[in-house]
């Protein structure tokens, strides 16, 4: 994985989800990610990315919102 793809994926996966108020309590921030309770997966929002970053992410073939099942022998 190259450095540019890593920086783009950090913007997708590590968004700020909570913020503290003046009393120190944390409140959830709406960031566009949607959790599906049936499949137990999160659909990550890509709307905060620039057009260049979104094009690079699509051209890399990285499966952002796809469920990838890989099996291995233990």
């Amino acid at each position: 994985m190259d450095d540019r793809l890593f920086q783009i994926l950090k913007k997708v996966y590590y968004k700020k989800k909570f913020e503290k108020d003046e009393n120190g309590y944390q409140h959830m921030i709406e960031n566009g990610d949607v959790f599906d309770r049936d499949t137990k997966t999160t659909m990550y929002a890509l709307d905060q990315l620039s057009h260049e970053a979104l094009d690079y992410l699509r051209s890399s073939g990285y499966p952002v919102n796809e469920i990838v099942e890989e099996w291995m022998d233990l």
Side-chain angles (χ1 to χ4, degrees):
M1 176 182 311
D2 61 355
D3 189 48
R4 184 174 178 194
L5 181 60
F6 181 71
Q7 296 299 324
I8 292 170
L9 291 176
K10 276 179 37 178
K11 291 179 185 177
V12 171
Y13 291 124
Y14 298 111
K15 294 179 207 140
K16 187 175 181 181
K17 297 182 183 187
F18 296 95
E19 68 178 3
K20 288 186 178 181
D21 62 4
E22 62 273 358
N23 297 325
Y25 295 108
Q26 291 187 350
H27 299 283
M28 188 175 242
I29 299 172
E30 181 63 39
N31 59 10
D33 296 344
V34 177
F35 181 73
D36 185 11
R37 293 182 181 170
D38 295 332
T39 61
K40 309 289 191 275
T41 57
T42 302
M43 295 298 289
Y44 294 97
L46 302 175
D47 54 354
Q48 81 280 2
L49 294 177
S50 66
H51 292 293
E52 293 84 16
L54 192 57
D55 290 340
Y56 187 80
L57 182 63
R58 288 182 180 150
S59 68
S60 71
Y62 190 85
V64 176
N65 283 325
E66 298 173 12
I67 299 173
V68 178
E69 295 184 19
E70 295 182 7
W71 299 92
M72 60 182 224
D73 296 329
L74 297 176

